[in-house]
Amino acid sequence: MSSNRIEAPASPDAPPGKADLKSLAKLIARWQPPPTSAVPCEGSKKGKSWSLADFDPAAKPFSGGNKLADKAAVDMLAIELDALQNLFYADKRYKLLVILQGTDTSGKDGTLRGVFSRISPLGVHTVGWKAPSEDERAHDYLWRIHQLVPRAGEMMIFNRSHYEDVLVPPVNGWITPAQTAQRYQHINDFERMLAETGTVVLKFMLHISLEEQGRRLQERIDDLEKNWKFSMGDLEARKQWPQYQQAYEDLLNATSTPWAPWTVVPADSKTHRNLMIATIVRSTLQQMDLRYPPSDPALKGLKIT
C-alpha cells in the first residue's frame, strides 16, 4: 500500500478545508475494500475483487514518521474528540456506532483506551461482545445487537460485534456457505436501516500479522499482570489463522457498503492504529456540521439573583 501521509487540522474549531477533506478521503479509500451492494445485481462480476493479503499490517500511512510525535498527535486528537463529542451530544441529530473488529491481540481494548478515554462517559458507551447467552441464542443473532445501538446524541463503541456471527460459525463449520451469505445480506440490510435513521456507522478491521500476534500472546504469558488476558482458546484460534483471514476477507468483500464501509487499519503499530482511527473519527464528526440547539428565548436578559 501507499505510504502517503496527511496532516489533519489541529482543532475542531478550525474545520478542515475541502482540500484537506479530499486528501484524507483519498488516503482512507486506499484502506477500504471496494463497496458492495446489499443484493448482488444480475450479471455482476463474481469472485474476489480484493485481497486482505494486499494490505500490509506493518504499514503506517497516517504516521508523520516520528513515534513520539505520533503519540503526541494521538493525545491531541483524544482531547479534540472530547470537545466534538460534547457538541455531538448537544446536537442530538445523529448517532455514532464505531465497530472495532479484529483477531485476538489486535488492539481493540488498546484503541478504547488510546482514542476514547478522554471523552466524557455521559454520551459514550462501550459494549464488549462475548458468546451469546442462552436467552440470546433463543432469538435471532441480531436481536441482542439491535438493543444496544446508539441513541440520538450517543456514541456507541462495539468491541467485537455482530460480525463474530460470520466469522466463528463459518470457520468452525457450524453454518453453511449459503447461510453465511444470507447473514451478510441480513447485516447489510440491518446497517442500512441504521444509516437511514440517523446512525453513522464506522467499521474498523484491526489488521495485525501472525508474527505480531505471536509476540503479543507471548507477552501475555510472560507478564504476570497480563496473564488474565490469555486464554488457551487463543492458541486454538491461532491454529486456524488462514481460515480466519479468509473469513475476514470474505466478510469485508461482502459487507463494505456505501452506507457502512469497512476501513482496514494496519495495527502492528499500536500508536499508528490509534492515530489512524482517531483521525478518521474526528474527520467524521467534523463533517457533520454539528451545532448547539437554539437557545430558549426566555433566557435572553435573564439575571440570576
Side-chain angles (χ1 to χ4, degrees):
M1 297 299 297
S2 170
S3 59
N4 289 14
R5 299 165 182 162
I6 187 165
E7 292 290 337
S11 169
D13 297 323
K18 290 183 179 180
D20 297 318
L21 291 175
K22 187 175 181 180
S23 297
L24 181 57
K26 190 174 181 180
L27 178 58
I28 294 170
R30 292 181 180 140
W31 292 89
Q32 293 179 328
T36 185
S37 60
V39 180
C41 300
E42 185 176 353
S44 62
K45 293 182 179 180
K46 296 182 178 181
K48 297 177 183 176
S49 57
W50 175 90
S51 174
L52 188 57
D54 294 336
F55 290 75
D56 181 7
K60 300 177 183 179
F62 281 64
S63 172
N66 181 289
K67 186 173 182 178
L68 289 178
D70 287 350
K71 284 187 173 182
V74 172
D75 286 340
M76 286 300 299
L77 283 163
I79 293 171
E80 291 173 29
L81 288 175
D82 180 42
L84 284 164
Q85 183 275 328
N86 185 62
L87 182 55
F88 179 86
Y89 183 77
D91 188 303
K92 283 189 169 56
R93 287 179 298 147
Y94 303 99
K95 311 146 193 174
L96 180 65
L97 175 60
V98 177
I99 294 174
L100 304 177
Q101 192 68 49
T103 60
D104 295 325
T105 78
S106 60
K108 298 176 290 294
D109 291 342
T111 299
L112 291 173
R113 288 191 298 270
V115 176
F116 300 101
S117 62
R118 301 287 186 92
I119 299 177
S120 166
L122 184 64
V124 178
H125 302 282
T126 301
V127 182
W129 294 102
K130 306 296 183 183
S133 66
E134 183 177 347
D135 183 49
E136 289 168 342
R137 285 196 300 270
H139 294 81
D140 67 87
Y141 66 97
L142 289 173
W143 176 78
R144 64 175 184 159
I145 305 296
H146 202 170
Q147 294 182 81
L148 292 174
V149 296
R151 296 173 291 183
E154 184 177 78
M155 295 183 187
M156 180 65 76
I157 319 297
F158 280 3
N159 183 336
R160 298 187 188 272
S161 67
H162 41 292
Y163 284 98
E164 293 295 306
D165 290 296
V166 286
L167 284 166
V168 180
V171 167
N172 289 286
W174 300 339
I175 60 176
T176 66
Q179 290 171 318
T180 303
Q182 185 181 56
R183 288 190 176 189
Y184 292 152
Q185 291 197 23
H186 291 161
I187 290 171
N188 286 342
D189 289 339
F190 172 63
E191 292 177 347
R192 183 179 64 208
M193 182 273 294
L194 293 179
E196 289 176 351
T197 53
T199 301
V200 176
V201 183
L202 295 178
K203 302 188 298 193
F204 298 106
M205 187 270 178
L206 309 187
H207 185 35
I208 63 169
S209 63
L210 179 64
E211 295 74 21
E212 180 62 23
Q213 188 197 53
R215 285 190 287 271
R216 295 182 186 181
L217 287 173
Q218 190 63 54
E219 184 178 318
R220 292 181 179 184
I221 294 171
D222 296 341
D223 187 339
L224 294 179
E225 294 185 359
K226 294 184 178 181
N227 281 178
W228 66 273
K229 292 184 176 183
F230 182 79
S231 167
M232 295 303 291
D234 295 340
L235 297 181
E236 291 304 311
R238 183 169 166 80
K239 293 177 183 177
Q240 297 173 301
W241 180 271
Q243 294 92 322
Y244 272 107
Q245 292 297 292
Q246 184 61 59
Y248 266 110
E249 182 175 304
D250 292 343
L251 78 83
L252 290 165
N253 270 305
T255 63
S256 193
T257 58
W259 52 89
W262 277 103
T263 301
V264 177
V265 178
D268 275 6
S269 165
K270 298 175 183 180
T271 299
H272 174 267
R273 174 200 69 210
N274 292 346
L275 178 62
M276 182 170 177
I277 292 174
T279 300
I280 294 172
V281 174
R282 180 183 63 174
S283 175
T284 300
L285 292 170
Q286 287 175 325
Q287 293 180 69
M288 288 181 184
D289 188 29
L290 298 172
R291 57 181 183 263
Y292 290 108
S295 298
D296 185 344
L299 298 179
K300 187 174 181 179
L302 180 65
K303 302 295 183 182
I304 303 298
T305 60

